[in-house]
Structures are given as C-alpha cells and as structure tokens.
Amino acid sequence: MLFAPNIADLPDEKLMLLLAKGKQKAFEVLYERYFAKLVHFATARIGNVAAAEDLVQEIFIGIIQHPEKFDTQRRFNTWLYTVANNACKNWYRNHLIRSGIHTAQGALLPVASAQSSNSDHDQQILKQRIRDSLAHCSEKEQIIYTLRFEEEKPLHEIAEILAIPIGSVKSCLFYLLKKLATPLKEFDYATK
Amino acid sequence: MQPNDNHFPPELLQWVESTPYAALSPQQQNILANYCTQAEYTAMQQSYQLLAALSPQPQPKIKPLHKQQLLAQYAATYAPKPSIALSLWRAAAVILFFISLGLGYLYSSHKSSTTSIVKTNIIRDTLYLSRQIATVSTTIHDTIYQRVAPKTATSNAYLASPKAPKTKATTTSNPDQLHIVAVQSINQTANLSRHSSIKNDKIIQEFQFVSL
C-alpha cells in the first residue's frame, strides 16, 4: 500500500471501522479529535470538570469494548455527541438521586473554565453574563446554546443529537436569542 | 410564552442571523410582528452577532493519565493472542490424528468383529435347535388326523368291464410264476423277532399254505 492515506486524515467513520479491527492508531486519532471536545461539552452540561472527564472516559471505554454499537448509517460526530448527551442526563439523574438536590432548571450550569485566559477581560465578563443568563433557561436551551455557539454544530446535527425536529431547534434558538437579548444588550454596546 | 413549534416559521431564525430589520419586506415584517417587536429583533440580531463572534471556549487540558488508561484498555481488548491460536492449531492437529487412528482401527477390525457376530449367531442357533428337539419329542405322541377326500361311488359298469379279469389273468394266470411256500419253511425263525416272518401270516396259520 504505497499510496495509503494517512490515518489521521481518514473520516471518523473509517476510523471506527479500523478501531473495531484492532488498529490502535485509529483509536488514538479519535481520542485526539473528540476527547477534549466532549469533556468541554460534558462540563457545560454537568458543571464539574473532573466528573466530565470520568464520564467521557467511560464513553470511550464503551467505544473500545462495543464498537459495533456505532450505527454506520449515522455520522460518528453526531452519534458521539448523542451518546455524551445521554450520558450527561444519566449522570445528572444519578447525581440528583445521590445528593437529593433538585433544581427547577433541570440541569447544572456551565462553570468557568479554570484554564481560560484572563487576557481579555471583556470576554470574561461577557461569558459570565451569558452563564448567568443561561441559568434561567431550560435544559434544552442550554444544550442548544452549547452545541450551537460553543461546539459550532450545524442545526441539523443539533436536531439529530437531541432527537428533535430541526424546526424545534430553530424555534428554541430564536426564543433563546430573545431571552439573551436584554441582558446582553448593555454589554453589546460596551464591546463595540 | 413560546408558541407551538409546529407553527413557528423556520425562516425567522435565518432573518435574525443575516437580515437587518429595514431589509425585511413589509410582508416579512408582518410575520415577524407576531413573534417580536422591531426593538427586540434588533437586540436579538446584536446578541447573535456577539455570540457568533465570541471566541470559542478553550479546550480543557486533559490529563495524560486518561489517554494512558484508555490505550491500556484498548491494548487489553484488541491485543492479539498468538499463543492461544497456536495451541488451538495443535489441539486441532491432535484431534485429527486421533480421529484418523480411530478410523484406521475400525477399518482393520471390521472383519474380526463380523466373525464374532457370526459366532454369537451359531450359539443362538444351537439353543434354538435343542428346543425344537424337545418340541418334536412331545409331538410324537400326538395324533394327526388327515382328511381324505371322499371316495366317489364307482359305477357298476366298471365291475362289468371285461378288461378287469383279463388284467388279473395276465399277472396270475401263469402257474409257473407261482411261488408256493413249503410247509416246512414256515418253521424258519430268521424273521421271527421282527414279526415279519411268513409264519406270522394269518393265511398260512389258517390254511398252512399261501400263494404269492
């Protein structure tokens, strides 16, 4: 195979096939592509970096042990976020049962990243304002915000991850923007 | 309060993302008026641009321990097992060897095993015959009735047939062929023990002679 493509350039779905055949390099590439992103996503969902890391590690162990669970008809990226979203739901449910805590919002809020830079003070204030505003939004709106503005997922992928119609995603995003418009209005002028 | 998603115009979000309020047609503005005011629309547009321009969250630094543990897990799950494979081949070869040995033994001992079966049959046959003899010895004393077909009445014409005396005459009419047993030979006792002596003949005993 003189002209075999570099394994790092292969699409996720091909890498999953190679992973199932025992190619460790394929697993490493998938790990590098998605582990940190999923930890960020899970942290935004459950509000605990260490717990999010453990959660994502469990997801990857599941991929190692049962790669056949990946539906090859779907995109790996979307499938992985769906798995992560469901894992966050389960974690949150178990966490509530263990701690006896129940909030009206139904989800924990994203926390400030300890690794984030303090160089742009305005950005930090803006992000804190967004977090405060999201605290008053529903769980679905928080997930859609994370997927759309932090993970930069297209709308159809968000719909697939959440297993809802794309019209619902658009509607939810529209009303989320409406909710965020007022608290961010003042800040918008400050950042101009 | 949000209206039903089914009735939400999907193009509204696209307008917020890309079209200023002044650029909307009057018809679009009328549709938009059902969901937000002009001021809200403008604020939503600014918020969207703000969020879209927001620098992405820095990816959290992952501890290398996670990667090491996962790679170890992967290696444990997908590691090749040559020793087991080799022993499997060996086991298969040994099994084949024993199967061929067994087949060879069966083939070579096929004749002898057939002979032994025959011997067993002979023994059984002998036992069967002894029983048969016992059965025969008991049936010796049985009376066997044999049906005989009834004789048809002979016609008188047969008695009146002229050929009958003629036939008898051909056998007995020649006096030279008569064998007259002498009286003194009656006393011969050679066949007395078997009761087949001529002395036992009732005609000789009554008339002292007989013509054969």
Side-chain angles (χ1 to χ4, degrees):
Chain A
M1 296 278 289
L2 285 174
F3 301 104
N6 186 4
I7 199 165
D9 299 332
L10 291 174
D12 300 336
E13 293 76 17
K14 290 267 185 189
L15 290 174
M16 271 301 288
L17 291 176
L18 292 175
L19 181 152
K21 291 176 181 173
K23 283 272 185 185
Q24 183 169 327
K25 184 66 180 171
F27 175 74
E28 287 184 45
V29 173
L30 286 174
Y31 175 89
E32 296 295 341
R33 282 183 191 174
Y34 288 106
F35 194 90
K37 283 183 180 178
L38 284 182
V39 168
H40 176 252
F41 173 73
T43 304
R45 291 292 319 279
I46 65 179
N48 185 324
V49 179
E53 284 183 359
D54 291 342
L55 197 70
V56 176
Q57 185 155 5
E58 288 296 319
I59 292 171
F60 271 80
I61 288 174
I63 290 173
I64 290 171
Q65 292 178 340
H66 302 288
E68 73 279 358
K69 287 188 176 177
F70 167 58
D71 182 4
T72 52
Q73 302 300 318
R74 297 182 64 181
R75 293 187 63 219
F76 177 77
N77 182 10
T78 310
W79 175 78
L80 191 59
Y81 271 90
T82 306
V83 172
N85 187 40
N86 292 334
C88 289
K89 280 182 186 174
N90 292 336
W91 181 93
Y92 185 71
R93 191 186 306 121
N94 296 334
H95 182 75
L96 283 183
I97 291 170
R98 280 199 303 269
S99 62
I101 300 171
H102 182 72
T103 64
Q105 298 301 327
L108 295 178
L109 301 174
V111 295
S113 172
Q115 291 81 26
S116 60
S117 161
N118 291 325
S119 60
D120 194 343
H121 184 64
D122 286 344
Q123 287 254 329
Q124 293 304 315
I125 296 175
L126 173 61
K127 287 174 183 175
Q128 185 60 46
R129 180 68 60 85
I130 291 170
R131 282 193 291 273
D132 293 342
S133 303
L134 286 173
H136 302 288
C137 297
S138 69
E139 180 189 4
K140 188 165 81 171
E141 287 171 334
Q142 289 178 25
I143 298 171
I144 288 176
Y145 171 83
T146 305
L147 290 173
R148 180 63 175 165
F149 293 108
E150 294 186 0
E151 303 293 332
E152 297 179 341
K153 299 280 183 199
L155 295 176
H156 69 272
E157 279 192 26
I158 297 172
E160 196 174 346
I161 290 170
L162 298 178
I164 57 176
I166 192 169
S168 297
V169 176
K170 289 180 178 177
S171 165
C172 192
L173 208 50
F174 179 87
Y175 289 108
L176 176 64
L177 286 173
K178 196 174 178 180
K179 284 181 186 175
L180 293 177
T182 306
L184 296 184
K185 187 176 181 181
E186 173 193 354
F187 194 86
D188 180 46
Y189 291 120
T191 54
K192 275 187 177 177
Chain B
M1 181 179 164
Q2 296 179 9
N4 190 350
D5 287 342
N6 295 332
H7 301 131
F8 181 82
E11 61 272 16
L12 284 191
L13 183 66
Q14 192 179 347
W15 296 346
V16 171
E17 289 175 354
S18 59
T19 313
Y21 187 82
L24 294 174
S25 66
Q27 191 180 0
Q28 290 172 332
Q29 289 177 358
N30 285 337
I31 296 172
L32 192 63
N34 296 323
Y35 298 92
C36 62
T37 62
Q38 181 180 354
E40 285 174 333
Y41 181 82
T42 307
M44 286 167 66
Q45 275 206 308
Q46 290 169 348
S47 297
Y48 176 78
Q49 289 166 2
L50 192 65
L51 292 173
L54 199 63
S55 62
Q57 290 276 357
Q59 298 291 340
K61 287 188 178 177
I62 306 301
K63 298 172 194 166
L65 180 65
H66 289 296
K67 186 174 181 180
Q68 290 168 8
Q69 288 175 343
L70 285 173
L71 289 179
Q73 176 77 36
Y74 187 88
T77 307
Y78 292 95
K81 294 156 184 163
S83 60
I84 291 176
L86 194 60
S87 61
L88 281 176
W89 278 109
R90 283 177 180 168
V94 168
I95 288 169
L96 281 176
F97 175 72
F98 279 112
I99 287 174
S100 60
L101 269 185
L103 287 175
Y105 175 75
L106 286 177
Y107 178 75
S108 63
S109 63
H110 180 69
K111 236 178 184 179
S112 59
S113 62
T114 309
T115 308
S116 65
I117 291 168
V118 170
K119 281 177 182 173
T120 308
N121 286 341
I122 288 171
I123 291 168
R124 287 180 182 175
D125 285 348
T126 305
L127 291 173
Y128 174 74
L129 284 176
S130 66
R131 287 187 181 181
Q132 283 297 103
I133 289 168
T135 310
V136 168
S137 65
T138 54
T139 53
I140 284 173
H141 304 287
D142 285 346
T143 304
I144 299 170
Y145 296 95
Q146 186 175 7
R147 289 184 179 274
V148 179
K151 288 182 180 176
T152 55
T154 53
S155 62
N156 294 332
Y158 171 77
L159 297 175
S161 173
K163 289 183 180 177
K166 189 180 180 181
T167 305
K168 210 169 185 178
T170 54
T171 55
T172 58
S173 61
N174 190 0
D176 296 337
Q177 291 178 350
L178 288 175
H179 177 67
I180 299 170
V181 179
V183 176
Q184 62 269 18
S185 64
I186 292 173
N187 296 325
Q188 289 179 353
T189 58
N191 295 325
L192 282 176
S193 60
R194 292 179 293 183
H195 302 283
S196 60
S197 170
I198 198 167
K199 191 179 179 181
N200 295 328
D201 194 282
K202 290 181 179 178
I203 298 174
I204 288 179
Q205 288 173 358
E206 188 171 350
F207 301 105
Q208 297 302 311
F209 77 96
V210 66
S211 175
L212 299 178

